Amino acid sequence: MAQATRPAGFYRHHDGHRDALVCDGVPLAEIAAAEGTPLYVYSAATLRERYQAIDAAFQGYPHALHYALKANSTLAIARLLRDLGSSVDANSVWEIEVARTAGFTPSQIVFTGVGKTPEELESAVALGVKAINVESAGELARLEAIGARLGRAVRVAIRINPDIDARSHPKISTGLKINKFGVPLDEARQLLQTLEARRFLTLVAIHVHVGSQITSLDPLRRAAALAANVSADLQQQGFPLEYVDVGGGLGVSYDGGEVPSAADYVAAIVDAVRHTSLPIVLEPGRSIAAPAGALVARVIDVKARTAESEFIIIDAGMTELMRPALYGAFHRIEPVSAAAAGDRHYEIVGPVCESSDVVGRDRMLPVLQPGDIVAIRDAGAYGSAMASNYNRRPLPAEVLVDNGTWRVIKRRQTVADQLSLET
Ligand code: LLP
């Protein structure tokens, strides 16, 4: 019953004259008071909802969701997704290690990455992952040599660079020929023809991934269609492919604008791949994790900026959430304990020693004072995963809220933790 009356995820709770930002039934102010700031807070309900929306959209079409760990690989989050039936896409041997610690089996791991070292390749082969997504002819040759040495056929997927413009931010578009990713289509077709004769390589799939935060279906559909068409040609030649891997990339709405729904996205992909009858592997990261997280921070200082606007200096910045500084990304910022809207003009900045450390430009908010708590929304993906120790700032604590209770899933780092690595 309690579940039915408690909306999932982040929402504002109005109670007489009080207005509070709440996560899965728990006021963020309560968590911030107990754990301090800056702090990542995640909604288990939102993670489940987002995963299940994509999963259900396949409507019985065979598929596997390989959550992209790079979006957020905090152990408890990886475990929660594993419990839902997820598999993973890992981008380094270290992400594979985290996946194994979270309980994923080798057959649930695909290994992608544009610069996998010989050591990383060897350990993935020895482990026997579901597939290594190969990014070049050179990498394929290195894998073949490892397979020969270990006396086993290496399961590979070839990542094709389809020369498709994802029309996302240039720093996170990966599908154009000028990008460093994958094997260009012409070269891939030739490379694929060599595979039949190479007995230490088993081709299991074709892989594409054209970028991230993609907000129109067209590039995603075209990339999937290309992967499916190449797969169909290979099937005709007798290659026993096991699935088509169409990557990740579905965007989320950071600013309230329209983005494709999980249902429309999956329908488009299934449409493009169905003629092969092959199962679909999808590698969603952001679309599952982003809306499930908020970065909670405290106002340290307020000072004049122009005649009309002020700086709000908070205790989280590019070290905790790099996206605004790196991509000019927009994240909603709202006070945790007052109305979300207001009429003060603010530039919200972090404490780091450079002017790129702006978290929110040009925002209208109610009056904020030192000590007030704010939440930076949709920070569950590529937030904590990209945090750094610049200025010796400790990595923030992380909390998971589940069904009205919360727990610390990553304790705040200390300077002693940092110094323990140093002499
Ligand atoms: N598969 C591969 C091979 C990838 O490279 C990525 C993301 C994904 C799947 C997951 O994509 P998603 O569903 O999350 O869009 N740091 C950037 C995003 C970089 C994405 C890198 N690759 C950001 O903060 O926007």
Side-chain angles (χ1 to χ4, degrees), residues 66-71 89-91 112-113 133 135 159 168-169 171-172 174 181 207-214 245-251 254 265 282-288 322-323 326-327 329 331 381-383 386:
H66 283 249
Y67 168 67
L69 277 176
K70 59 179 75 89
D89 166 40
N91 206 68
T112 319
N133 293 336
E135 303 257 355
R159 177 173 182 175
S168 178
H169 191 285
K171 288 187 181 168
I172 54 174
T174 54
F181 300 96
H207 176 229
V208 285
H209 171 77
V210 291
S212 194
Q213 185 53 15
I214 300 173
D245 184 342
V246 299
L250 178 64
Y254 287 103
Y265 167 56
L282 212 61
E283 301 168 353
R286 182 190 320 264
S287 52
I288 292 173
M322 202 201 283
R323 304 194 68 259
L326 190 58
Y327 314 117
H331 284 260
Y382 307 110
M386 293 172 73

Side-chain angles (χ1 to χ4, degrees), residues 225-405:
L226 184 129
N229 292 341
V230 174
S231 302
D233 292 349
L234 291 164
Q235 284 178 309
Q236 281 207 331
Q237 289 176 49
F239 281 98
L241 297 181
E242 296 178 14
Y243 60 88
V244 181
D245 184 342
V246 299
L250 178 64
V252 300
S253 178
Y254 287 103
D255 61 1
E258 284 258 319
V259 296
S261 68
D264 288 348
Y265 167 56
V266 170
I269 300 291
V270 171
D271 247 22
V273 175
R274 190 188 296 280
H275 66 96
T276 63
S277 304
L278 290 171
I280 295 172
V281 161
L282 212 61
E283 301 168 353
R286 182 190 320 264
S287 52
I288 292 173
L295 174 57
V296 179
R298 188 180 302 268
V299 176
I300 300 171
D301 203 358
V302 181
K303 63 181 184 181
R305 179 171 174 257
T306 64
E308 299 83 35
S309 79
E310 289 165 295
F311 285 111
I312 296 290
I313 299 154
I314 60 177
D315 65 357
M318 64 192 291
T319 37
E320 288 72 28
L321 180 66
M322 202 201 283
R323 304 194 68 259
L326 190 58
Y327 314 117
F330 177 91
H331 284 260
R332 282 177 291 161
I333 301 174
E334 50 184 296
V336 155
S337 303
D343 60 3
R344 288 298 186 100
H345 189 220
Y346 288 135
E347 173 112 330
I348 298 165
V349 299
V352 172
C353 60
E354 52 179 279
S355 296
S356 63
D357 188 26
V358 176
V359 184
R361 238 174 247 290
D362 220 351
R363 303 300 172 92
M364 300 304 287
L365 286 173
V367 176
L368 288 170
Q369 283 166 346
D372 287 348
I373 308 281
V374 296
I376 303 153
R377 298 288 303 277
D378 302 311
Y382 307 110
S384 80
M386 293 172 73
S388 83
N389 286 136
Y390 190 33
N391 288 192
R392 284 290 189 181
R393 295 175 56 76
L395 299 178
E398 300 183 34
V399 158
L400 181 67
V401 188
D402 195 358
N403 196 21
T405 61

Side-chain angles (χ1 to χ4, degrees), residues 140-141 143-145 152-156 195 198-203:
L140 194 65
L143 278 171
E144 187 177 24
R152 59 157 87 180
V154 181
R155 294 170 57 83
V156 294
L195 278 171
R198 298 166 79 169
R199 64 195 177 96
F200 290 108
L201 296 172
T202 303
L203 179 69

